[in-house]
Amino acid sequence: MGYYNFNAGPGALPAEVLQEAQAELRSFQGTGTSVMEISHRSKAYEAIHYEAQQLIKDLMGLSSEYEVLFLHGGASLQFSMVPLNFLTEGKTAGYVHCGTWSGKAWKEAKKLGKTTLLASGVDSGFKKMPDLSQLSIPDHTAYVHVISNETIDGIQYHSFPDTGDVPLIADMSSDIFSRPVDPSPFSYIYAGAQKNLGPAGVTIAIIHRSLLELIPETLPDILSYRTHVKHGSLYNTPPVFSVYMVNLVLKWLVRQGGVEGMAVRNQQKAKLLYDVLDHSEGFYEGLAHKESRSLMNVTFRTCSSELENKLLGELEQEGFMGLKGHRDAGHLRASIYNAVPYTHCQALGDFLIDFQRRNG
Ligand code: PMP
C-alpha cells in the first residue's frame, strides 16, 4: 500500500527535501551539530536566512523596494498585525470576505479599528470568489485586504483587483509560489509556510518599504514590521529550523522550474481531479463554482452521506491521507499543494473512479 498525503496544512513536503534534511540533521554542513543547535547570530545560520530571503525575492520577481521577513505566530497573527500596523487614525480598512479565513482576518481588524466590507461571498455560500473587477474603494481606505485562496472553501482568485494608490494586502498562505503572480500591485503579502513552503512555525511576509512610514511608533517592538525590517528579520530568535526547511524547499522549487514550472504541474494535477468529478455524472460534485475553483484545495462531495462515510473509510484504509473536509465546510477535500506529485493525484483519481464503479 502506498501513502498519499492530501493534508490541508501542515501539508506534503517534497520527499527530496525531507531526505536532505534527514541527511544533515545531526551534523549540519559537517559542523557536528544540527542546525537547531547553533546561534541565529552565527555565520552558518545567517547564510541560510539571507539566502532564503534572496530566493523568495528571485522566485517572486520582487524589486528592491520589498523586504522579506520570517515571522512567528502563524498567518493568524498577521490578521492582527496588519491592522495594528496599517489601520491608522482616521482611516478605514477594506475587507473582502470570501470564506472562513478572510472572515477571521476581518473579525480581528474590527476589534482594532474601523473596517468596511468591500465585497462578500456570503450569498454564494462561499462557493465562488466575489467579483472585484468593479471594486469601489471609499476615500480614507487604509488598505484593501484579500485572500488569494480560501483553503477550507476551495476557492481561489485567478486575478487581483486594481486598488490604485490604496495598499493591496494579501494572505497567500495556501497558494504562494504555486503560480506566477505579479507582485507589483501588492504592498504586503503574507503566508504561513506549512502548505507550500515548509513546516509550520514560520510566516513569510513581503513588505513594500513605502508602508513602513505608516506604522505607529506606539506599537510594541515585536508587533511592528518596522522592527523586523530594521533587524533583517533577526530582531529576536527566528524559528531557525523552519527557516532552514523553507530554504531547502525554495531551492527545490528552483529545480522544478520556479513558479512557472509549478504552475504547469499544478494545473495538470487539478485538471485531473476536477475531470474525475465532472465526468462522474453526478456521483461526485465539486463544491466550488467552476470559475473560482482552487488549484490547491479540491472540495467535493458524493451523492449521499452514507457513501461519503464509506468512501472516507476506504480512502483511509488505502493510504490516502487528509481527505476529510474541514469541519466548517464539510464533505471531502484534496489538498494538492506544490509537493504533492502528479502520480498521487492519478492514484486518487483512479481510486475515485473505481469507487464509483463499485457503488454507482
Ligand atoms: N490563512 C489561510 C488562507 C489559511 O489556510 C490558514 C491556515 N489553514 C490561516 C490563514 C491560518 O494560519 P495559521 O494556522 O498559520 O495561523
Side-chain angles (χ1 to χ4, degrees), residues 316-333:
E316 205 178 311
Q317 262 181 3
E318 293 301 315
F320 293 96
M321 285 176 273
L323 269 301
K324 190 163 167 48
H326 190 277
R327 58 188 181 275
D328 289 354
H331 304 293
L332 295 113
R333 171 178 53 172

Side-chain angles (χ1 to χ4, degrees), residues 27-43:
S27 178
F28 168 66
Q29 291 180 354
T31 54
T33 58
S34 94
V35 70
M36 289 174 274
E37 303 170 288
I38 56 171
S39 168
H40 60 292
R41 310 265 173 225
S42 65
K43 287 272 164 288

Side-chain angles (χ1 to χ4, degrees), residues 85-257:
N85 280 259
F86 307 132
L87 180 46
T88 45
E89 206 52 42
K91 297 256 185 176
T92 302
Y95 276 76
V96 173
H97 185 198
C98 50
T100 310
W101 293 109
S102 50
K104 289 194 174 170
W106 182 33
K107 178 168 158 252
E108 292 303 295
K110 279 193 270 192
K111 294 179 190 164
L112 294 164
K114 266 178 73 180
T115 67
T116 183
L117 181 62
L118 296 176
S120 172
V122 73
D123 288 347
S124 80
F126 301 124
K127 289 187 172 39
K128 70 172 190 207
M129 284 297 199
D131 179 10
L132 303 181
S133 58
Q134 307 294 322
L135 196 62
S136 135
I137 302 170
D139 290 345
H140 310 296
T141 298
Y143 58 81
V144 172
H145 183 278
V146 298
I147 284 197
S148 53
N149 182 70
E150 280 284 5
T151 323
I152 291 173
D153 310 277
I155 52 177
Q156 189 175 29
Y157 273 118
H158 300 295
S159 62
F160 294 97
D162 177 3
T163 57
D165 291 340
V166 178
L168 177 60
I169 294 181
D171 174 354
M172 295 194 184
S173 292
S174 49
D175 66 357
I176 194 160
F177 294 121
S178 65
R179 56 181 175 172
V181 171
D182 173 12
S184 62
F186 296 93
S187 294
Y188 186 66
I189 294 170
Y190 61 93
Q194 66 269 25
K195 290 136 185 11
N196 265 344
L197 270 177
V202 64
T203 304
I204 279 62
I206 295 162
I207 187 166
H208 194 275
R209 294 194 69 86
S210 61
L211 256 66
L212 295 173
E213 62 206 41
L214 306 175
I215 300 169
E217 294 289 346
T218 48
L219 275 188
D221 285 349
I222 190 78
L223 295 177
S224 166
Y225 296 121
R226 203 173 17 237
T227 309
H228 295 287
V229 168
K230 191 168 150 207
H231 295 272
S233 210
L234 283 162
Y235 167 68
N236 67 327
T237 316
V240 291
F241 189 70
S242 297
V243 174
Y244 160 78
M245 290 294 290
V246 166
N247 176 308
L248 295 183
V249 172
L250 291 166
K251 287 183 190 149
W252 173 84
L253 257 166
V254 172
R255 294 198 295 276
Q256 308 306 305

